[in-house]
Amino acid sequence: FTLVLLSLYFYVITQAAYREDILQSTKNKYQTEDFLKYKDVISQSNQTLTKVDDFYKTGTNISNALKVISTVEKPEGLYLKNITAEPVKTDMVKVGVLGFSDTRENLLLFKNNIEHEAMVVNVYFPPDNWIKAKDINFYFTFELKSGNNEPVQE
């Protein structure tokens, strides 16, 4: 019985050493310069795909924000320069807008128009926007209901 156990013990040790050698040779085989180069390329591609996926997840939110902003009546002399959008909650998107208005009255008119938009909530125009009477570079934020594009109930 001892002899059987001893031979089984030596067999297991021999097999373990054999498997360790195979593992080491396989590791060495895949540590070549070409393999490492392709490994880096694949890693960078995965990072890029993750960024693309994130963009597509928020892409609908950006298009909804653009759609809402484009439907708001803008006075002549007021134009928008930059629009950003980022998800706040699953059903809300925070939108930031940079723009230019030739007069304070036009900016006030635009503010009133955006506040009356059904899907827009929490409109915020900082006090800095109202200091100058003419040639105003303005900024404002609002939250936009996303999802099925139904109007927000206030």
Side-chain angles (χ1 to χ4, degrees), residues 65 68-74 80 95 97 107-121 123-125 140-143 154:
V68 168
I69 289 284
S70 68
T71 61
V72 174
E73 187 177 337
K74 291 168 214 54
L80 307 179
V95 180
V97 179
L107 183 58
L108 184 59
L109 181 60
F110 179 67
K111 177 184 181 289
N112 291 336
N113 290 345
I114 196 95
E115 286 175 337
H116 287 92
E117 189 66 33
M119 293 179 60
V120 174
V121 294
V123 178
Y124 176 70
F125 279 75
F140 71 97
T141 61
F142 64 90
E143 290 182 352
E154 295 187 35

Side-chain angles (χ1 to χ4, degrees), residues 84-138:
T84 60
E86 64 180 79
V88 177
K89 302 179 210 167
T90 56
D91 63 340
M92 293 292 268
V93 178
K94 185 169 186 168
V95 180
V97 179
L98 289 170
F100 174 82
S101 178
D102 58 349
T103 66
R104 186 183 304 144
E105 290 75 23
N106 282 344
L107 183 58
L108 184 59
L109 181 60
F110 179 67
K111 177 184 181 289
N112 291 336
N113 290 345
I114 196 95
E115 286 175 337
H116 287 92
E117 189 66 33
M119 293 179 60
V120 174
V121 294
N122 300 329
V123 178
Y124 176 70
F125 279 75
D128 303 10
N129 291 343
W130 309 108
I131 294 173
K132 293 172 64 178
K134 294 184 180 237
D135 298 329
I136 305 163
N137 287 308
F138 65 89

Side-chain angles (χ1 to χ4, degrees), residues 6-22:
L6 190 59
S7 48
L8 185 60
Y9 173 75
F10 283 124
Y11 174 75
V12 170
I13 288 177
T14 306
Q15 287 298 315
Y18 174 70
R19 302 282 180 195
E20 185 68 33
D21 285 342
I22 291 175

